[in-house]
Amino acid sequence: MALLNRRIGLSLTHLNSAVIQRQFSITGACQAIQKLTRVRVVDNSTLGNTPYHRPPKCIHVYNKTGVGKVGDKILLAIKGEKKKALIVGHKMPGPTMTPKFDSNNVVLIEDNGNPIGTRIRTPIPYTLRRREGEFSKVLAIARNFV
Amino acid sequence: MAAACGRLVPRGAGIALPGRFFSLSGYRVSSGEKPPKFQPPPKPVIIDRKTRKEESRFLSPEFIPPRGRKDPLKYYIERKDMIQRRKVFNIPEFYVGSVLAVTTANPYASDKSNRFVGICIQRGGKGLGATFVLRNVIEDQGVEICYDLYSPRIQAIEVLKLEKRLDENLMYLRDALPEYSTFDVNMKPVPRMGHEEIPVNKVQVRMKPKPWSKRWERPKYNIKGIKFELPEHKMQAAQKWSQPWLEFDMLREYDTSKIEEKIRKELSEELGK
């Protein structure tokens, strides 16, 4: 029953009227990124942008704690495959003066750190520049910084 | 104005020659001498008593100490530090709902400084830890930054549009349609017409479909700035959580008028030095 409802709900891609009652309950997005968080891929890679009936989910966080913040690498399950990704923004409020985003943003990455997409349009926090060495290629394809 | 320069006729007084202004000083000419040079009338000195009162009426909310049993010495010391900072750096008057542009020092930015434009959705904290949250939507991504008002990293705070809204807390903008939170990054500052009342923007914001991050229709939030398009029975069901006795609770009363007057006097003395 829940699966049926979810399929119907996800096909409503354009919500025109102001009052459409969703038929299924969505848990409020969790604060930082941990296992089973649904994330949003913000680069222009085909893997990240082709629609699929399941949203991309985090299945592992490469961290001592299982909680991922900006600049951490995670493992995503997208379209039935496993892909590494870099967290570039989350809904959890961080230290003051750092930006807080309305969605958990993620950039797809290879094992050696090369990004798969060629452009990132959404704003990226400046704090990523601290690790210029590791993320130089990701920072190079980013357009705006916040 | 006419009183300041005795016999001068005010402009447009209907005396014979239409369309001509004449000064009476030109009439004191004796027969053989050259006509004296035209002396323009002295400029009137306007003492705008209203302006000074308006400016002194605004007291930044972080100066007012919260209700509690802490020693007022702590707040006094914090206020001294806040005044020191304000002497060096101008923190303008702004309210929740005004659009601000903040330039901060950032070692990782180009030119070492970073400018963010957004609408102020919340002013929190008291004393030196006062914060304000700016929200904007950039490239379809909502971004919020919480700034410390008294942080030395802030290089400039510019008020682009000074206005108030119907609520003290605009957190519901996160669940509203993104058009209500989008502000142009290169927006020009809106000039304020003299020293009038702060305009109140009575916009009723349209929301995205439910679920929202908080149940804004409940009376606890007391939000006036949303156009609720919920069915009538849902709005009435939300009233079940109303607590009408709260406004009569005497233990929650906190009259800040006397405290405010004292702090205003203190501020005007210190900042005047």
Side-chain angles (χ1 to χ4, degrees), chain A residues 73-87:
Chain A
K73 294 212 181 108
I74 60 173
L75 228 206
L76 279 192
I78 303 186
K79 294 185 78 176
E81 7 178 314
K82 293 184 279 193
K83 211 78 196 174
K84 278 205 182 171
L86 173 72
I87 303 176

Side-chain angles (χ1 to χ4, degrees), chain A residues 118 132 135-143 145:
Chain A
T118 50
E132 187 88 52
F135 307 139
S136 52
K137 299 201 182 102
V138 177
L139 293 168
I141 62 173
R143 281 299 159 93
F145 284 88

Side-chain angles (χ1 to χ4, degrees), chain A residues 30-138:
Chain A
C30 84
Q31 302 277 23
I33 300 183
Q34 58 190 32
K35 285 192 187 184
L36 296 188
T37 3
R38 285 160 297 186
V39 292
R40 178 188 165 210
V41 176
V42 293
D43 55 12
N44 64 346
S45 53
T46 34
L47 193 56
N49 291 47
T50 38
Y52 192 63
H53 59 262
R54 305 184 67 170
K57 273 195 192 161
C58 168
I59 49 180
H60 188 260
V61 180
Y62 293 103
N63 211 341
K64 283 281 168 65
T65 68
V67 176
K69 306 279 166 116
V70 173
D72 288 334
K73 294 212 181 108
I74 60 173
L75 228 206
L76 279 192
I78 303 186
K79 294 185 78 176
E81 7 178 314
K82 293 184 279 193
K83 211 78 196 174
K84 278 205 182 171
L86 173 72
I87 303 176
V88 290
H90 48 66
K91 277 185 103 168
M92 173 161 180
T96 47
M97 311 286 219
T98 53
K100 167 194 170 308
F101 297 87
D102 274 4
S103 58
N104 299 316
N105 299 340
V106 120
V107 170
L108 293 179
I109 231 176
E110 295 283 355
D111 284 335
N112 51 14
N114 296 354
I116 296 177
T118 50
R119 215 187 318 170
I120 304 176
R121 295 195 78 201
T122 46
I124 307 273
Y126 274 112
T127 39
L128 274 182
R129 277 207 195 240
R130 200 187 314 148
R131 294 199 261 169
E132 187 88 52
E134 285 176 67
F135 307 139
S136 52
K137 299 201 182 102
V138 177

Side-chain angles (χ1 to χ4, degrees), chain B residues 108-128:
Chain B
Y108 307 112
S110 56
D111 282 345
K112 304 293 176 203
S113 68
N114 168 29
R115 184 169 191 258
F116 185 75
V117 173
I119 182 172
C120 177
I121 55 176
Q122 179 184 268
R123 282 188 83 162
K126 298 284 179 195
L128 283 171

Side-chain angles (χ1 to χ4, degrees), chain B:
Chain B
M1 192 168 138
C5 20
R7 285 194 227 161
L8 260 190
V9 173
R11 273 194 176 186
I15 301 183
L17 303 161
R20 276 198 205 168
F21 304 112
F22 43 79
S23 74
L24 290 172
S25 53
Y27 279 119
R28 299 193 201 105
V29 181
S30 53
S31 41
E33 288 170 21
K34 276 188 266 179
K37 271 183 115 176
F38 169 67
Q39 302 282 340
K43 278 207 173 139
V45 178
I46 306 173
I47 306 169
D48 203 55
R49 278 178 225 277
K50 257 195 183 172
T51 323
R52 264 194 231 148
K53 273 200 180 151
E54 289 290 338
E55 279 177 307
S56 66
R57 283 294 108 190
F58 174 70
L59 181 65
S60 217
E62 71 268 5
F63 281 105
I64 304 165
R67 189 172 126 257
R69 289 177 55 187
K70 279 207 173 132
D71 196 348
L73 178 67
K74 177 209 176 199
Y75 299 114
Y76 174 68
I77 298 173
E78 276 209 328
R79 249 177 283 139
K80 275 174 65 174
D81 285 340
M82 284 150 77
I83 290 167
Q84 274 290 67
R85 174 69 179 159
R86 278 186 184 241
K87 280 187 185 167
V88 178
F89 173 71
N90 171 42
I91 297 177
E93 164 192 357
F94 67 96
Y95 304 89
V96 169
S98 336
V99 182
L100 306 184
V102 177
T103 344
T104 41
N106 199 322
Y108 307 112
S110 56
D111 282 345
K112 304 293 176 203
S113 68
N114 168 29
R115 184 169 191 258
F116 185 75
V117 173
I119 182 172
C120 177
I121 55 176
Q122 179 184 268
R123 282 188 83 162
K126 298 284 179 195
L128 283 171
T131 55
F132 63 102
V133 183
L134 292 186
R135 178 183 168 81
N136 200 347
V137 173
I138 308 174
E139 299 272 356
D140 299 328
Q141 172 70 55
V143 186
E144 291 176 9
I145 308 190
C146 176
Y147 290 102
D148 288 317
L149 252 189
Y150 294 95
S151 166
R153 269 178 68 186
I154 295 187
Q155 293 167 339
I157 302 180
E158 197 192 333
V159 177
L160 298 176
K161 194 178 197 188
L162 182 67
E163 62 177 13
K164 285 190 197 178
R165 292 274 195 132
L166 295 170
D167 308 296
E168 285 293 307
N169 203 311
L170 297 178
M171 284 296 177
Y172 56 81
L173 286 182
R174 289 172 182 167
D175 300 313
L177 297 174
E179 64 194 46
Y180 295 99
S181 315
T182 354
F183 295 92
D184 182 23
V185 184
N186 304 315
M187 174 174 165
K188 294 275 152 60
V190 169
R192 227 184 114 204
M193 298 299 162
H195 294 272
E196 297 167 344
E197 291 257 344
I198 317 284
V200 179
N201 191 352
K202 300 206 169 130
V203 65
Q204 299 278 18
V205 150
R206 290 188 66 212
M207 304 292 276
K208 287 194 220 159
K210 272 204 159 201
W212 298 330
S213 56
K214 296 256 187 275
R215 295 172 213 251
W216 303 112
E217 73 277 9
R218 293 212 176 158
K220 156 181 170 194
Y221 299 107
N222 192 21
I223 292 190
K224 311 220 169 57
I226 298 184
K227 186 174 182 198
F228 291 108
E229 280 153 0
L230 299 172
E232 198 48 52
H233 69 269
K234 293 245 160 134
M235 295 300 293
Q236 274 166 15
Q239 292 303 315
K240 262 197 292 185
W241 280 270
S242 68
Q243 297 174 303
W245 56 86
L246 270 187
E247 59 172 312
F248 304 107
D249 193 344
M250 293 176 78
L251 282 181
R252 279 173 212 259
E253 277 172 10
Y254 186 40
D255 184 22
T256 49
S257 45
K258 295 203 178 104
I259 304 173
E260 273 184 41
E261 283 309 315
K262 269 192 222 162
I263 296 179
R264 269 204 196 101
K265 238 198 255 176
E266 197 185 316
L267 271 184
S268 53
E269 277 170 23
E270 294 289 327
L271 286 174
K273 285 182 193 168

